[in-house]
Amino acid sequence: MLAVKDLYVEYSGIRAVNGVTFSMDEGQFITLIGANGAGKSSIVKAITGLVKPKQGEIIFNDTNIEGRDSSVIIRQGISYCPEGRRIFATMTVEENLKIGAYLRKDKKKINDDLDKVYHYFPILKEKRNLPGGSLSGGQQQMLAVGRSLMSDPKLLLIDELTLGLAPIIIQDLAKILIELNQNGLAIILIEQNANVALKTANYGYVLETGNIILEDDTTELTDNDFIQKAYLGI
Ligand SMILES: Nc1ncnc2c1ncn2[C@@H]1O[C@H](COP(=O)(O)OP(=O)(O)OP(=O)(O)O)[C@@H](O)[C@H]1O
Ligand SMILES: [Mg+2]
């Protein structure tokens, strides 16, 4: 479904991603874990067209999308839930969700997808007429995920799902992502919180200073001595 080959990202000559290669199949749930500044966001931004890679190929369903505009990439079926949520505080919850469908025209399908988002996140339905800014942090993250579902993606990229959220909310969100994945959505979860990431995704890549240093099933990574010491605090 997605193949990233030998990807380099630089900012004014300073290297952030240093020849990263990975791929995933349809319906997979993978995670990229790594410390602050490891290059996680730069990789997803390159996939979604928000930064232009210095070098590399990004193949999505047989099309090279490297360097294409974000709107083209979204239409191909990739959606991005950004770090920091970026919801619109003064717009209502429902208006925020509908923004996620801005490239689509079929009103009936958009409404079906709105119902689907409300099915996964009933609290958003309850609060649909309230301003986004009135939601709690966890609810805002649900709104951000819901908004990215409104483009009807085949692949969802989530950058820092859990940052600043209470454990109970994190558990809820993780459960919903697993459910979305079981219903066929491929997911890439970017996380500093390796504990959550390795419990939620099925396959993981460990990123350090722009390089993948380790990859494996998340169950194997969880048992790995180095990962336990460096990332899980065990
Ligand atoms: N717009 C930018 N201009 C200059 N340098 C940048 C920019 N964005 C990121 N960087 C640098 O690139 C490197 C990788 O950053 P990136 O945001 O991809 O890491 P990250 O793994 O997502 O980190 P975090 O966990 O803090 O979100 C860092 O050294 C960062 O300072
Ligand atoms: Mg980041």
Side-chain angles (χ1 to χ4, degrees):
M1 176 187 222
L2 178 76
V4 172
K5 294 182 191 162
D6 208 24
L7 182 72
Y8 288 80
V9 177
E10 287 184 4
Y11 301 100
S12 327
I14 296 172
R15 187 150 302 162
V17 178
N18 196 15
V20 159
T21 297
F22 69 93
S23 62
M24 69 188 289
D25 294 331
E26 212 140 308
Q28 251 198 312
F29 191 161
I30 69 169
T31 182
L32 303 183
I33 60 172
N36 236 313
K40 306 179 297 296
S41 295
S42 299
I43 293 173
V44 282
K45 283 182 186 161
I47 296 171
T48 50
L50 295 172
V51 301
K52 183 147 177 45
K54 174 85 179 161
Q55 191 188 312
E57 273 180 42
I58 301 169
I59 314 286
F60 182 65
N61 290 335
D62 301 324
T63 309
N64 190 354
I65 55 168
E66 184 274 318
R68 305 294 300 271
D69 279 349
S70 282
S71 59
V72 174
I73 292 169
I74 293 169
R75 279 202 186 87
Q76 302 266 337
I78 297 180
S79 190
Y80 173 57
C81 183
E83 193 172 353
R85 294 153 207 159
R86 310 270 177 86
I87 61 141
F88 299 97
T90 57
M91 293 169 72
T92 68
V93 166
E94 188 150 304
E95 285 165 348
N96 268 278
L97 289 173
K98 284 186 169 164
I99 283 175
Y102 78 107
L103 289 169
R104 304 171 66 191
K105 296 213 171 64
D106 187 334
K107 286 228 168 70
K108 163 88 174 65
K109 282 215 182 96
I110 292 173
N111 278 324
D112 288 350
D113 282 343
L114 191 61
D115 284 343
K116 215 157 71 183
V117 169
Y118 286 149
H119 160 80
Y120 284 106
F121 303 106
I123 189 74
L124 297 182
K125 183 169 190 181
E126 220 173 276
K127 303 207 164 191
R128 64 186 179 281
N129 295 320
L130 297 178
S134 71
L135 302 184
S136 70
Q139 292 164 356
Q140 290 191 17
Q141 185 61 285
M142 290 174 189
L143 181 55
V145 173
R147 182 183 55 192
S148 27
L149 293 174
M150 287 300 292
S151 64
D152 190 24
K154 300 184 188 79
L155 170 61
L156 175 61
L157 311 182
I158 305 179
D159 198 350
E160 305 292 359
L161 178 74
T162 68
L163 213 63
L165 300 181
I168 180 116
I169 309 285
I170 293 175
Q171 269 179 30
D172 279 353
L173 278 161
K175 229 168 75 188
I176 292 165
L177 289 190
I178 290 169
E179 203 182 323
L180 283 163
N181 174 249
Q182 282 167 349
N183 291 333
L185 181 68
I187 301 176
I188 302 180
L189 176 63
I190 308 285
E191 271 291 339
Q192 278 190 40
N193 185 336
N195 261 305
V196 173
L198 295 180
K199 280 193 194 118
T200 311
N202 302 119
Y203 197 84
Y205 294 87
V206 183
L207 204 68
E208 284 189 3
T209 53
N211 294 292
I212 291 174
I213 56 149
L214 199 58
E215 63 168 274
D216 213 332
D217 291 337
T218 47
T219 47
E220 297 293 327
L221 290 176
T222 305
D223 288 340
N224 179 299
D225 279 349
F226 166 75
I227 296 295
Q228 291 192 352
K229 283 203 187 74
Y231 290 93
L232 298 174
I234 297 175

